[in-house]
Amino acid sequence: MLRQPKAVWATALAAVFAFMGIGLVDPILPAIAVNLQASPSQVSLLFTSYFLVTAVAMLVTGFVSSRIGGKKTLMIGLVLIVVFASLSGMSGNVATLVGFRAGWGLGNALFVATALAVMVGVASGGTATAVILYEAALGLGLSLGPLLGALLGGWQWRAPFFGTATLMAAALIALMILLPKTPAPARRTRLRDPLLALGHPGLRTTAARALFYNYGFFTVLAFTPFILGINAYGIGAVFFGWGAAVAVFSVFVAPVLQRRFGPVPTLLGSLGALLLVLVGLGLAAGHSVPAIVVLVIIGGALLGINNTLFTELAMGVSDSPRPVASAGYNFIRWMGGALAPFAATQIAEHLGVQMPFYVAAFALLVGMGIVLAGRKYMVAHAPKGV
């Protein structure tokens, strides 16, 4: 796994920086709310606008990359992130900040969807190795994002945005130097191809599972900072531990469990355990900060297992080209990330801080039902050796 071309490591490093942008705002959400005089639900739109644009833009990533090649698409995505991250740091009100985060989401979509396809194409060891490295980058980005947000945000809430722009500019330079030119595919992707790919029952059920799973994922990520009642450094430390657990369990634990128990039992077990974590968070919300911290980090470990299983399956379950399948899958998947932050804060404002976690637990239960209904696709497309 570690004997990879330099291009793989350059793309993975850029992916780490890109995924840092997801959790970057976590430690500074309360500070943004205070400084821009916004409610928690208004601040949660920083996630919603980002993921909504990311989800919709997934439908055009294949159209773009199949015409100009993977490298140019990655670089355009990075340029957009640099621009909109910088503009986010200059925002004077929450509405402007939400709008710039939406532009950031467009750059993120172009980069994230293309990065996985590029890594699959150039990695040694095939799709499974590329997915594990990609999920490791996701986990590292999710852990380092809150840490960077805390370190810079504890000084000034605008600083994390400028810090991210600087890192993404460095990633852009690294890709320009280390990633060889990737020719455009022989067959151009049409705009409707990702939606047509979802007509495949295996990919459709995989995407539906990921939708409900991501709702639970981003309820934890986007809503928990509001109930911790600690400063930016404390929130950053909690979510650094959470992201580190995502990374470790996605790389080292998920493949072992999948080989030992098979994809269906592993996924059902991890989803069931995550459901219990969400119920525990609901019981602890407003009562015990230490319990919330422990449960969040345990949840990160379970999320790491699920991320690897879902992504690996989505890349091989249908007969569509990988970039097309990835675009269709991520379009549905990120809708869960767009819905959860705003829904969770609205539910909390009207029904109490416990209810968002109970709703997320119910979403996980629905996801488990879809896993059972589509288990034949998981078994048929399990990686070799399972």
Side-chain angles (χ1 to χ4, degrees):
M1 184 183 299
L2 299 178
R3 295 175 180 174
Q4 300 294 331
K6 290 181 180 179
V8 172
W9 295 117
T11 307
L13 180 61
V16 170
F17 293 156
F19 286 125
M20 285 173 66
I22 295 177
L24 175 85
V25 299
D26 249 33
I28 56 174
L29 287 176
I32 291 174
V34 170
N35 283 276
L36 297 183
Q37 300 179 340
S39 68
S41 59
Q42 288 175 316
V43 173
S44 74
L45 291 174
L46 295 176
F47 283 104
T48 296
S49 64
Y50 180 85
F51 288 118
L52 182 61
V53 172
T54 295
V56 175
M58 287 292 176
L59 299 178
V60 305
T61 55
F63 178 85
V64 174
S65 63
S66 66
R67 283 160 175 77
I68 65 175
K71 181 175 181 177
K72 289 182 179 178
T73 305
L74 291 177
M75 292 174 65
I76 291 172
L78 290 175
V79 168
L80 288 173
I81 294 173
V82 170
V83 170
F84 283 104
S86 300
L87 291 173
S88 295
M90 294 184 276
S91 300
N93 56 68
V94 71
T96 303
L97 181 54
V98 168
F100 288 144
R101 278 284 283 182
W104 190 338
L106 174 60
N108 183 67
L110 289 170
F111 179 84
V112 168
T114 310
L116 180 54
V118 168
M119 290 177 69
V120 168
V122 299
S124 302
T127 300
T129 299
V131 168
I132 291 172
L133 291 171
Y134 179 82
E135 292 300 334
L138 170 61
L140 283 172
L142 289 176
S143 63
L144 294 176
L147 189 62
L148 177 67
L151 293 175
L152 296 178
W155 167 57
Q156 170 34 270
W157 72 265
R158 299 178 186 274
F161 297 109
F162 296 121
T164 300
T166 302
L167 288 174
M168 297 311 293
L172 174 63
I173 294 171
L175 282 184
M176 290 175 62
I177 297 171
L178 297 176
L179 184 63
K181 182 179 179 182
T182 54
R187 179 180 176 273
R188 292 187 173 185
T189 300
R190 300 167 298 180
L191 285 173
R192 64 179 181 271
D193 283 349
L195 294 175
L196 294 176
L198 290 169
H200 187 283
L203 185 62
R204 186 170 62 245
T205 54
T206 301
R209 288 191 288 265
L211 170 69
F212 289 99
Y213 158 69
N214 262 28
Y215 184 93
F217 185 118
F218 287 101
T219 295
V220 174
L221 179 64
F223 177 67
T224 307
F226 290 110
I227 65 170
L228 284 171
I230 53 181
N231 61 22
Y233 297 113
I235 296 172
V238 171
F239 280 94
F240 172 75
W242 173 82
V246 172
V248 170
F249 277 73
S250 64
V251 175
F252 299 107
V253 179
V256 174
L257 291 177
Q258 186 168 226
R259 286 193 298 269
R260 176 68 178 83
F261 299 106
V264 175
T266 301
L267 196 52
L268 285 174
S270 59
L271 287 174
L274 185 57
L275 186 153
L276 294 177
V277 166
L278 287 167
V279 172
L281 285 169
L283 295 172
H287 301 291
S288 174
V289 171
I292 293 172
V293 171
V294 171
L295 288 169
V296 165
I297 294 173
I298 293 173
L302 298 168
L303 293 167
I305 296 170
N306 284 301
N307 283 351
T308 295
L309 294 179
F310 274 126
T311 305
E312 207 167 77
L313 180 64
M315 294 300 286
V317 73
S318 76
D319 52 3
S320 299
R322 289 191 183 101
V324 174
S326 176
Y329 165 74
N330 280 300
F331 167 64
I332 301 297
R333 173 193 190 186
W334 291 115
M335 282 296 179
L339 177 62
F342 184 71
T345 50
Q346 283 287 301
I347 291 169
E349 288 173 8
H350 292 89
L351 300 175
V353 295
Q354 294 82 18
M355 284 304 297
F357 297 109
Y358 297 145
V359 172
F362 178 75
L364 264 291
L365 187 62
V366 174
M368 292 174 68
I370 299 174
V371 169
L372 285 170
R375 59 188 179 276
K376 63 180 180 180
Y377 300 111
M378 296 188 67
V379 174
H381 295 276
K384 293 181 180 179
V386 175

